[in-house]
Amino acid sequence: MTDKILIRQLLVSAVIGIHDWEKQQTQPLLIDLDLSHDCHQAALSDDIKDALDYFEVCRQVTDFVGASRYELIETLAEEITELIFRQFNCEHIELTLFKPEAVENTQTVGVSISRTRPS
């Protein structure tokens, strides 16, 4: 499948990190998502029920991340992909999660994962 829904720089806030100061406050995260989904039927019908609703993906990911508390961004990335597979019809997810405030002398650090829907 070559069709993808692209979400770039989804800004979310979370309590995440291994340091004491990170466990006391939220910090910004940026998420990029490439969601493999056959867009052909949605293009033919022009109906949201046939599409992968990116507005709803953003809402659910934002709500989930905001309520979460993890130490590692790797764990959060895995949990986000599991949420999307449970809630939405996509076959493959490429997710990049950036943590801009993690290291003082960098613009950002992050993790990128690629997952296919379990059989």
Side-chain angles (χ1 to χ4, degrees):
M1 178 183 317
T2 58
D3 300 348
K4 290 183 180 181
I5 300 298
L6 306 176
I7 299 170
R8 295 291 179 260
Q9 304 284 299
L10 177 63
L11 177 62
V12 296
S13 293
V15 176
I16 188 163
I18 61 170
H19 302 289
D20 289 340
W21 67 267
E22 292 178 302
K23 296 176 183 185
Q24 303 302 318
Q25 63 191 33
T26 62
Q27 58 184 303
L29 303 173
L30 294 167
I31 301 170
D32 288 348
L33 292 164
D34 290 21
L35 308 174
S36 295
H37 172 80
D38 186 349
C39 297
H40 184 73
Q41 185 58 42
L44 292 175
S45 70
D46 198 28
D47 191 326
I48 191 64
K49 73 175 175 48
D50 295 323
L52 179 58
D53 186 344
Y54 53 81
F55 181 86
E56 188 61 22
V57 171
C58 291
R59 187 189 68 74
Q60 286 194 33
V61 169
T62 299
D63 290 350
F64 174 79
V65 172
S68 71
R69 292 181 73 97
Y70 294 103
E71 290 197 351
L72 301 178
I73 59 174
E74 293 87 345
T75 306
L76 180 56
E78 288 288 345
E79 293 295 326
I80 293 169
T81 61
E82 289 180 21
L83 167 77
I84 294 169
F85 281 137
R86 278 193 312 272
Q87 299 297 322
F88 300 96
N89 181 24
C90 64
E91 295 305 315
H92 186 81
I93 299 170
E94 294 176 28
L95 179 147
T96 303
L97 192 155
F98 296 102
K99 191 175 173 188
E101 296 180 0
V103 179
E104 187 175 308
N105 60 335
T106 66
Q107 185 174 9
T108 192
V109 297
V111 64
S112 184
I113 65 173
S114 179
R115 299 292 179 265
T116 300
R117 176 181 290 283
S119 304

